[in-house]
């Protein structure tokens, strides 16, 4: 097939250039959106008087057949046709002839590509929201209905006792924020760029037709500036930023599962179906899924950085550099969806060693509670802090490893405010 833009050129495109510029390997996943767009846009051209009714009927039938051919694997892609959009127009032309040559009237790949991408995100991001909500429900049901006590950590040092519900409730909050961010991002994705043309608008679509077109494609709003419409990739950056924060949260959870499943902690056992062994050490049970979730976070962060670097120096309006956005966006989406899907399956298969958690709360973990006890007796907090610090130092000197090992009389050496009830205060 001749290039869509080939009329101005007298020489064929260098083969290496065709391979270098082709994007169908990446954007072929947009075929459903592109077929829907072409059908809706053809209907708009019908309303504008550019297409006749019989031409539109052929286009409609032809696009349906192209879709079936793609899904049946009966078509092949070529670097000579660059992207999925060109391929679909080519396949349609082979089926119906002349009417297919009219579907690009007033439409540029600049506004077509970005509209396809927005449609795709409007379809797949709700899947991510649903997965996050389902994971939250698993956490709430399995982990937040218990008052099991374990050490809470700061600086990876035992700090104060907390419940398992409080600990995993923190992840519920993180995922709720992730859901809110994605829903907020969807508001800015939900804007139709189609009708912007290459950059200066579309002379064939009036406002009424364009609003109707937006509604048919599932958009709530229409882009107000044609140059911004074709050159805006803020929504890609924003999506990748939201996905990056999801991976931050998943990575933190993965890190804790790696630590907690170690013999030194022994807080959890991950189900055999979600662990692997060693090729040389028969006893090993490795938390590879948690480690890979942690490791794959870097892919999404890198994708965000790549799009930011691509966009930061581009003049208005469209530039071919923007073709790189889809590979990065799809990488981020696939990584997050894959991580969420496996986590959803893995979480119910994790067994928690409540006894080990409870037994890890000895030592000086009740020191803050002891200082608060003195405050309630009228001692200034700063003074209470010093008193309890001296008690901890005393315990270490005496070889005592738990505040429960001190008698009331020993406590009273440090402050007369300590009474018999102090022993219940330091008992978890």
């Amino acid at each position: 097939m001749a290039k869509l833009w080939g009329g101005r050129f007298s020489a064929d495109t260098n083969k290496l250039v065709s391979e270098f510029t082709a994007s169908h390997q990446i954007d072929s996943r947009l075929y459903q959106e592109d077929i829907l767009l072409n059908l809706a846009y053809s209907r708009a051209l019908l309303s504008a008087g550019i297409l006749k009714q019989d031409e539109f009927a052929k286009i409609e039938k032809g696009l349906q057949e192209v879709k079936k051919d793609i899904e049946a694997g009966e078509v092949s892609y070529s670097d000579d046709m660059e992207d999925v959009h060109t391929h679909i127009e080519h396949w349609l032309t082979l089926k119906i002839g002349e009417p297919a040559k009219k579907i690009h009237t007033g439409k540029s790949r600049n506004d077509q590509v970005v509209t396809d991408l927005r449609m795709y995100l409007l379809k797949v991001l709700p899947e991510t929201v649903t997965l996050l909500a389902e994971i939250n429900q698993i956490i709430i049901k399995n982990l937040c209905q218990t008052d099991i006590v374990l050490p809470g950590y700061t600086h990876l040092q035992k700090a104060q006792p907390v419940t398992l519900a409080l600990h995993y409730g923190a992840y519920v909050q993180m995922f709720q924020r992730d859901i809110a961010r994605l829903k907020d991002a969807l508001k800015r994705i939900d804007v139709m760029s189609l009708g912007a043309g290459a950059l200066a608008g579309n002379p064939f679509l009036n406002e009424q037709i364009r609003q109707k077109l937006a509604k048919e494609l599932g958009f709530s709003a229409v882009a107000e500036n044609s140059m911004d419409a074709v050159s805006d990739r803020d929504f890609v950056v924003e999506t990748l930023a939201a996905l990056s924060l999801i991976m931050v949260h998943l990575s933190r959870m993965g890190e804790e599962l790696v630590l907690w499943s170690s013999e030194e902690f022994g807080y959890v056992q991950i189900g055999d179906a979600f662990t692997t062994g060693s090729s040389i050490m028969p006893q090993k049970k490795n938390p590879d899924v948690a480690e890979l979730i942690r490791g794959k976070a870097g892919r999404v962060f890198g994708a965000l950085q790549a799009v930011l670097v691509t966009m930061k120096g581009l003049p208005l309006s469209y530039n071919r550099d923007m073709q790189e956005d889809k590979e990065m966006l799809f990488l981020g989406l696939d990584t997050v969806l894959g991580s969420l899907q496996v986590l959803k399956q893995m979480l119910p298969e994790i067994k928690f060693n409540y006894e080990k958690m409870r037994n890890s709360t000895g030592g000086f973990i009740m020191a803050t509670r002891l200082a608060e006890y003195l405050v309630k007796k009228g001692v200034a907090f700063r003074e209470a802090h010093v008193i309890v610090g001296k008690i901890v130092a005393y315990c270490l000197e005496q070889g005592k490893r738990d505040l429960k090992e001190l008698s009331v009389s020993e406590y009273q050496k440090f402050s007369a405010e300590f009474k018999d009830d102090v022993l219940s205060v330091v008992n978890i």
Side-chain angles (χ1 to χ4, degrees):
M1 174 186 175
K3 302 287 187 185
L4 294 180
W5 38 263
R8 184 248 185 268
F9 293 81
S10 58
D12 291 338
T13 304
N14 182 284
K15 185 175 184 297
L16 284 176
V17 172
S18 293
E19 293 174 357
F20 186 71
T21 58
S23 64
H24 60 81
Q25 305 92 331
I26 303 300
D27 58 35
S28 59
R29 72 168 70 187
L30 298 175
Y31 79 91
Q32 291 182 339
E33 286 70 31
D34 200 64
I35 288 172
L36 287 172
L37 182 149
N38 276 308
L39 179 58
Y41 187 74
S42 297
R43 188 173 284 109
L45 290 178
L46 176 64
S47 298
I50 302 300
L51 288 175
K52 298 181 176 65
Q53 183 62 51
D54 64 318
E55 292 175 322
F56 172 76
K58 290 178 182 179
I59 290 169
E60 183 177 32
K61 185 174 183 293
L63 286 171
Q64 292 170 351
E65 291 176 358
V66 168
K67 183 174 183 290
K68 289 179 182 178
D69 290 346
I70 294 172
E71 293 174 347
E74 295 177 358
V75 294
S76 58
Y77 290 86
S78 167
D79 290 344
D80 288 335
M81 287 183 279
E82 300 178 67
D83 54 36
V84 68
H85 322 288
T86 308
H87 279 85
I88 287 173
E89 185 175 331
H90 169 66
W91 294 327
L92 180 64
T93 303
L94 292 178
K95 286 185 177 294
I96 68 171
E98 287 300 312
K101 298 179 180 180
K102 293 186 176 183
I103 68 168
H104 207 63
T105 305
K107 171 162 61 74
S108 167
R109 280 184 298 175
N110 294 359
D111 61 346
Q112 181 174 356
V113 168
V114 71
T115 302
D116 280 353
L117 195 55
R118 288 176 181 273
M119 291 169 62
Y120 181 78
L121 286 176
L122 289 174
K123 178 177 71 175
V124 300
L125 284 187
E127 296 176 21
T128 310
V129 169
T130 298
L131 275 170
L132 285 166
E134 290 172 345
I135 288 170
N136 261 354
Q137 287 305 309
I138 292 171
I139 294 173
I140 291 168
K141 179 182 177 181
N142 294 357
L143 301 173
C144 290
Q145 303 299 324
T146 176
D147 58 0
I148 297 299
V149 177
L150 72 157
Y153 291 81
T154 63
H155 308 278
L156 208 54
Q157 306 294 316
K158 291 181 182 179
Q160 292 179 268
V162 298
T163 63
L164 189 61
L166 181 66
H167 187 100
Y168 269 89
Y171 287 105
V172 172
Q173 295 296 310
M174 293 181 206
F175 295 145
Q176 283 179 342
R177 291 195 297 272
D178 291 328
I179 289 170
R181 265 186 291 270
L182 288 175
K183 287 182 175 180
D184 192 55
L186 281 166
K187 297 175 185 176
R188 284 170 290 284
I189 294 168
D190 188 14
V191 178
M192 188 186 75
S193 302
L194 193 60
L199 79 163
N202 186 321
F204 303 103
L205 305 185
N206 61 35
E207 187 62 20
Q208 183 180 1
I209 293 175
R210 196 166 177 227
Q211 290 291 342
K212 186 177 179 181
L213 177 59
K215 185 176 181 180
E216 182 174 352
L217 291 175
F219 289 101
S220 300
V222 171
E224 296 180 3
N225 182 286
S226 58
M227 291 185 72
D228 181 60
V230 298
S231 63
D232 170 32
R233 293 299 183 275
D234 290 3
F235 70 97
V236 175
V237 172
E238 188 173 2
T239 299
L240 282 170
L243 295 175
S244 292
L245 278 169
I246 293 172
M247 290 308 296
V248 167
H249 300 151
L250 294 180
S251 180
R252 295 181 74 177
M253 180 182 283
E255 169 68 8
E256 283 192 339
L257 289 173
V258 171
L259 285 173
W260 285 14
S261 64
S262 68
E263 187 175 347
E264 288 74 14
F265 271 83
Y267 288 176
V268 301
Q269 286 190 359
I270 302 174
D272 286 357
F274 297 92
T275 56
T276 65
S278 166
S279 63
I280 189 171
M281 296 168 284
Q283 84 283 7
K284 293 295 293 299
K285 180 180 177 180
N286 299 325
D288 283 14
V289 172
E291 291 173 348
L292 282 171
I293 289 175
R294 183 181 63 187
K296 287 177 184 294
R299 293 186 180 191
V300 187
F301 304 162
L304 170 60
Q305 181 69 8
V307 177
L308 284 169
V309 171
T310 297
M311 294 302 299
K312 61 94 181 171
L314 297 184
L316 290 176
S317 58
Y318 180 80
N319 296 270
R320 192 65 178 267
D321 314 47
M322 295 179 189
Q323 176 176 296
E324 296 297 299
D325 66 342
K326 286 174 287 299
E327 184 171 7
M328 295 301 103
L329 180 61
F330 297 158
L331 174 64
L333 284 167
D334 292 347
T335 302
V336 169
L337 283 170
S339 298
L340 290 173
Q341 287 164 351
V342 74
L343 180 64
K344 177 187 170 183
Q345 297 288 322
M346 182 173 72
L347 276 175
E349 301 299 319
I350 295 173
K351 295 182 179 178
F352 288 81
N353 189 335
Y354 300 140
E355 184 178 359
K356 186 69 180 287
M357 291 178 174
R358 175 67 175 74
N359 292 339
S360 296
T361 57
F364 307 114
I365 201 167
M366 297 298 283
T368 304
R369 182 72 178 274
L370 190 60
E372 292 167 350
Y373 168 90
L374 289 173
V375 170
K376 291 178 181 178
K377 298 287 187 178
V379 179
F381 175 74
R382 283 299 169 207
E383 184 179 346
H385 191 287
V386 172
I387 292 170
V388 176
K390 290 180 178 179
I391 292 172
V392 171
Y394 170 80
C395 288
L396 294 172
E397 291 169 1
Q398 299 298 312
K400 300 178 187 289
R401 305 301 301 177
D402 196 306
L403 291 172
K404 292 185 294 186
E405 297 178 30
L406 295 180
S407 64
V408 175
S409 60
E410 284 178 296
Y411 275 113
Q412 290 174 339
K413 292 178 182 179
F414 296 91
S415 173
E417 298 299 333
F418 287 118
K419 307 300 179 185
D420 290 347
D421 61 348
V422 69
L423 297 182
S424 64
V425 171
V426 296
N427 188 327
I428 199 157

